[in-house]
Amino acid sequence: SQQGEEDPQALSIQEGENATMNCSYKTSINNLQWYRQNSGRGLVHLILIRSNEREKHSGRLRVTLDTSKKSSSLLITASRAADTASYFCATDARETSGSRLTFGEGTQLTVNP
Amino acid sequence: GAGVSQSPSNKVTEKGKDVELRCDPISGHTALYWYRQSLGQGLEFLIYFQGNSAPDKSGLPSDRFSAERTGGSVSTLTIQRTQQEDSAVYLCASSLWGAGETQYFGPGTRLLVL
């Protein structure tokens, strides 16, 4: 299966709750990135975490990376209805470094007002 | 504009026809990528251009697909003899140097092959 697999595939929460999405990957990476996509169009970069980093914050976003388990998580705190979107992790694998990102199939997050 | 632009936004074509999709990357970005996204799926890598280097075409699904990047800027993705399974959103992205960096995406071209 594909490098970069998110779970859950779909997540529905109430406004104000926290949302956690997970990503697993298979090969060694240089970095891992999270993107957001609204309405099946262009993706927006959220955060990049390098292989030597364990945690990173950006506003209401918190990303962790565990290279021993080949996994990452994205936490959105105090969610808002506007956070409703698909979230993708993408890896820059060392074996293909400099040529591509490999995207997972995404988590569809729905935040109910 | 300052972002990545793509045209057309939507394209409906008949099976067997050729289509051309255009991408204008952010000025000064040396790396350009094409991805394909089928309904409800993740992004499938198609091709990568980096400066004057030979492009990485390893993601192109068949020889009906080709892409060019002229003058290190604008790129055109061509699909010949389109098939219904080519229907998808085609996304272009650019980054300053390469894949290890943030990629900036265009809005995509939604292709429907009837």
Side-chain angles (χ1 to χ4, degrees), chain B residues 47-68:
Chain B
I47 188 168
Y48 162 70
F49 296 90
Q50 169 54 269
N52 296 321
S53 302
D56 175 359
K57 302 179 180 181
S58 59
L60 295 178
S62 76
D63 59 7
R64 296 186 295 105
F65 288 73
S66 62
E68 291 185 342

Side-chain angles (χ1 to χ4, degrees), chain B residues 17-70:
Chain B
K17 294 276 180 71
D18 298 352
V19 295
E20 283 191 353
L21 312 179
R22 177 186 168 107
C23 172
D24 283 88
I26 292 173
S27 178
H29 280 192
T30 63
L32 186 148
Y33 315 81
W34 283 98
Y35 297 90
R36 177 169 72 173
Q37 186 178 32
S38 300
L39 187 63
Q41 302 295 311
L43 274 69
E44 174 189 4
F45 167 80
L46 297 178
I47 188 168
Y48 162 70
F49 296 90
Q50 169 54 269
N52 296 321
S53 302
D56 175 359
K57 302 179 180 181
S58 59
L60 295 178
S62 76
D63 59 7
R64 296 186 295 105
F65 288 73
S66 62
E68 291 185 342
R69 189 180 186 192
T70 54

